[in-house]
Each structure stands twice: as structure tokens, then as C-alpha cells.
Amino acid sequence: MAVIFGIGVGLFVLGLIWGFSLLLCIVLSRASGGIKFGGIGIVILAVIITVILVLFPKEPLEPQPAEVKVTDQTFISRVIMHTVLGLFTLISLICMFLYHWMEPILAKPIKTKRL
């Protein structure tokens, strides 16, 4: 049985199905005409796929005994560190875009001599 962070692959598949169906529902709600109500059909289709996947599982519910594997104990801390660094990099790029690149450069007034 394939497990990611202690969660089966089927749960990720259901999450993707519901994520895409809700995204399409939101996108179609802004449309005009008859396609506006297509979101209801997409949600009903997602419910049907969910019921089928829940009622007919591919593998038994009892997990097979797993072998002992050597794992990297610092993996979680490295992932957290990279996530925080990436987040701050993204925030700094957005701030640089807003406060440096988007700052207007105004023309200086011409000094004229009055006669």
C-alpha cells in the first residue's frame, strides 16, 4: 500500500477531484448563459466519483506489515526551513516589485526665468 505522510493515495486523489471540481464550479459561476449552472453538474459528478472510489476500494483496509526502513530524521526540519525561506523570498520579491519597480518617476519641473 502506497502511503504518503501516513495518508493513502486515494485520499490525495479525492482531494484533487474535489479541488478541481470546486475550482471549475467557481469559474463557471462567473460565466453567462446556460453554462453558468454547469458547476452543479461538476459537483454531482465529483460526488458520484467519490462514492464509487469509497465503495470499491482497490486494496484491503488492513495495511500490510511494513519493513523497517532507514529514514532521514532531519527531513521535516529541512522542508520547514526551505518553505520559510521560499515564503520570505516570495514576499521580498513582491515588496521589491511594489516599492521599487512600481515607484513612479516624475518629471522635474523646468525652471523658467521671468522677464
Side-chain angles (χ1 to χ4, degrees), residues 12-23:
F12 284 105
V13 170
L14 287 177
L16 285 173
I17 289 172
W18 278 101
F20 284 133
S21 67
L22 291 177
L23 178 74

Side-chain angles (χ1 to χ4, degrees), residues 4-6 9 11 13 23-24 30 37 41 44 52 54 58 63 71 74 76-77 80 82 93 97 106 110-111:
I4 303 170
F5 295 120
V9 177
L11 191 59
V13 170
L23 178 74
L24 285 173
R30 305 297 287 169
F37 302 108
I44 291 172
I52 290 172
V54 168
K58 184 177 177 183
T71 58
T74 61
I76 294 176
S77 61
I80 291 172
H82 283 106
L93 286 174
F97 179 73
L106 302 175
I110 299 175
K111 295 180 183 179

